[in-house]
Amino acid sequence: MKLKLSTLLLGVVVNTTLIASPQNQITPSVTVVKVPYISRETNHVDYVHKLMELALDKTKAEFGDYRIQYHDTETLPERQLRGLEEGEQVSVTFSHAKAKWDNAAIRVPFPLAKGLGSYRFFFTLPKHLPSLEKVDSLDDFYQFIFGQGLGWSTASILEDHQFRVEYSSRYVGLFIMLESERFDLLMRGAFEILGEEQHLKTEHPSITYSPDIAMLTLLPMYFYVSDTQPELAIRLERGLKIAFESGEFDELFTLYFQDAVQFVNSPTLRSFWIDNRNVSAEQFYEIKPYLLPELIEKIEPNIQPKL
């Protein structure tokens, strides 16, 4: 991460003091927020947009009004990153944790979905389902080939552990590749798999999944903000924490993800830990207060700092 939010905060405090002083009666300018378009057959994109608007609303008194410009054409992850670095077309986007992104943009240290994406399920074909349901350790997954999108955060996790990975530059192409047996498993989060399941029933009816087998890792979802708008990063962090304290964050989360939380808390689910080297123990403790409590119990023993 190029800029630390703690450093940025000091600058914002000083700036706010200047604006508030009698001799500096300056009307705050409108914050323009440019957001890339991401097409998914799930509701989590809409959730993130609603959460962003909530955070911006909660900070109007301090930071002034805002205007969001939503793009209307699909932007792939790597292009989103370039947009953040340039700062002209993209102000903020969201992603599960990526070390590469931490070095190119400002990560807002608040887990947007309480770490719910840390559970990773798998779409597959019926022929692979018996083998998947017999998995009894992480090593048993090496028999499969995994499908991933270019630039996805989960791709680096699989690569770091030497799993075989096939890539597609197009989200919809992954389901076609799975049906064509280009790979065996397509890794998805709980809210993704539940949303996409409805789409697949009509478009790709041969694709199925097991609700009882998953990998488990620490995979928080963050806002990433362009270095050209550091005050926006401060504003989003403050707004998210205000919404969390007021209970509005939990209300929005429950509205969108109640089914997914029940899904990952199924008593029949067996999950197998896989280390995510994109996320440090320091990051875990930074966001721990905002994670699902039942997730903390499973993750914390696996990420204790090594002595």
Side-chain angles (χ1 to χ4, degrees):
M1 182 164 51
K2 291 182 180 179
L3 300 174
K4 297 290 284 187
L5 285 186
S6 57
T7 302
L8 295 172
L9 181 58
L10 178 60
V12 172
V13 171
V14 172
N15 186 53
T16 303
T17 303
L18 287 173
I19 291 174
S21 63
Q23 65 270 31
N24 291 281
Q25 295 298 327
I26 302 173
T27 302
S29 60
V30 174
T31 300
V32 178
V33 184
K34 293 164 283 189
V35 182
Y37 177 74
I38 302 172
S39 176
R40 294 290 185 271
E41 295 291 339
T42 65
N43 62 1
H44 74 284
V45 176
D46 184 54
Y47 163 79
V48 170
H49 290 169
K50 290 288 194 300
L51 185 58
M52 179 177 61
E53 292 170 11
L54 176 61
L56 292 170
D57 282 337
K58 289 296 177 183
T59 50
K60 273 188 176 182
E62 182 178 2
F63 292 89
D65 211 344
Y66 66 90
R67 184 173 73 254
I68 301 176
Q69 297 177 351
Y70 290 106
H71 293 195
D72 57 6
T73 56
E74 177 75 6
T75 309
L76 298 175
E78 290 304 304
R79 185 64 191 90
Q80 291 177 45
L81 180 59
R82 290 196 298 273
L84 286 173
E85 291 177 310
E86 295 164 0
E88 295 181 3
Q89 299 298 319
V90 180
S91 301
V92 58
T93 188
F94 68 95
S95 172
H96 287 108
K98 300 176 186 175
K100 184 178 180 180
W101 286 44
D102 285 351
N103 293 324
I106 305 170
R107 171 173 46 83
V108 178
F110 188 100
L112 304 181
K114 296 190 174 188
L116 182 59
S118 298
Y119 293 91
R120 309 307 297 178
F121 296 85
F122 305 96
F123 282 123
T124 189
L125 297 178
K127 63 184 290 186
H128 301 304
L129 203 55
S131 296
L132 179 61
E133 292 179 338
K134 290 179 183 176
V135 165
D136 198 40
S137 70
L138 185 64
D139 286 346
D140 289 341
F141 282 102
Y142 283 101
Q143 65 187 290
F144 302 111
I145 301 173
F146 293 80
Q148 288 283 288
L150 289 173
W152 285 11
S153 53
T154 47
S156 63
I157 299 174
L158 292 169
E159 287 184 343
D160 285 345
H161 291 271
Q162 287 77 54
F163 284 102
R164 294 173 292 166
V165 181
E166 287 286 335
Y167 289 97
S168 173
S169 60
R170 297 171 59 246
Y171 164 70
V172 294
L174 285 162
F175 301 104
I176 297 171
M177 290 172 67
L178 177 56
E179 277 192 319
S180 301
E181 302 188 38
R182 294 276 300 279
F183 55 79
D184 308 317
L185 303 180
L186 176 57
M187 179 185 280
R188 308 303 286 144
F191 49 80
E192 293 167 324
I193 212 160
L194 291 178
E196 291 163 346
E197 176 191 23
Q198 302 305 312
H199 168 70
L200 295 177
K201 285 179 179 178
T202 56
E203 298 297 324
H204 305 280
S206 65
I207 295 178
T208 186
Y209 70 92
S210 170
D212 300 327
I213 300 292
M215 287 185 183
L216 176 63
T217 190
L218 176 56
L219 194 62
M221 182 191 295
Y222 295 116
F223 281 128
Y224 282 92
V225 178
S226 172
D227 280 344
T228 63
Q229 290 185 265
E231 190 172 276
L232 177 58
I234 293 293
R235 179 173 183 166
L236 287 171
E237 183 180 7
R238 286 188 182 174
L240 289 167
K241 290 181 177 179
I242 291 170
F244 181 83
E245 292 298 327
S246 70
E248 292 167 277
F249 172 81
D250 281 339
E251 290 176 7
L252 188 64
F253 177 85
T254 300
L255 178 65
Y256 277 85
F257 298 136
Q258 183 175 13
D259 290 346
V261 172
Q262 293 175 349
F263 188 71
V264 301
N265 287 330
S266 167
T268 62
L269 175 62
R270 294 185 296 124
S271 58
F272 303 91
W273 177 258
I274 181 169
D275 187 47
N276 181 4
R277 296 167 190 171
N278 287 299
V279 183
S280 65
E282 179 185 19
Q283 283 185 48
F284 169 75
Y285 288 107
E286 180 179 49
I287 64 174
K288 180 180 175 181
Y290 312 108
L291 296 174
L292 291 167
E294 59 271 33
L295 182 64
I296 294 172
E297 293 177 5
K298 294 184 178 181
I299 287 182
E300 191 161 18
N302 292 292
I303 63 153
Q304 294 291 343
K306 295 180 175 59
L307 301 178

